[in-house]
Amino acid sequence: MFTLVCLGVFWSDPFPLVHHVNGDLSINPWFDRFFAITSCSAFATILLALFGHGTKRLLLVAGGLLLLFLTYGALLSNGV
C-alpha cells in the first residue's frame, strides 16, 4: 500500500525540476527519495513473497513486479 501511495505522488508530479542560478536544471531531491523508497518497497514485496506458500506467493511476486514496472514507468513519464 505504501508503494501505491508513492506511485500516486510520482504520477501527480508535485516535484518540479530545480532551477539553479547558472540556468541549469536538476532533479528535485524529494523525487529521488520517493523513487528510492518506492523501488525498495517493490523489491521487498518480491523478496518477502519468497517466504509465502502456494498461489499467494505467486500473486505477491506478480504484484511486486507490477509495482516495479509502474515505478519505472512513473520515472520515465516525468521526463527524467
Side-chain angles (χ1 to χ4, degrees), residues 26-50:
S26 67
I27 299 171
N28 194 322
W30 282 101
F31 187 82
D32 286 338
R33 290 179 186 127
F34 270 95
F35 179 71
I37 290 169
T38 308
S39 298
C40 289
S41 59
F43 280 122
T45 301
I46 295 169
L47 182 68
L48 291 174
L50 298 176

Side-chain angles (χ1 to χ4, degrees), residues 3-20:
T3 306
L4 289 175
V5 171
C6 288
L7 279 172
V9 170
F10 270 138
W11 288 108
S12 64
D13 196 20
F15 307 119
L17 294 174
V18 176
H19 295 277
H20 295 285

Side-chain angles (χ1 to χ4, degrees), residues 6 10 14 20 22 24 29 31 39 42-43 53 57 65-67 71:
C6 288
F10 270 138
H20 295 285
N22 62 358
D24 289 341
F31 187 82
S39 298
F43 280 122
H53 296 288
R57 173 176 47 181
L65 289 173
L66 181 64
L67 289 173
T71 299

Side-chain angles (χ1 to χ4, degrees), residues 3 36 40 59 66 72 75-76 78:
T3 306
C40 289
L59 289 174
L66 181 64
Y72 286 110
L75 177 69
L76 295 176
N78 287 329

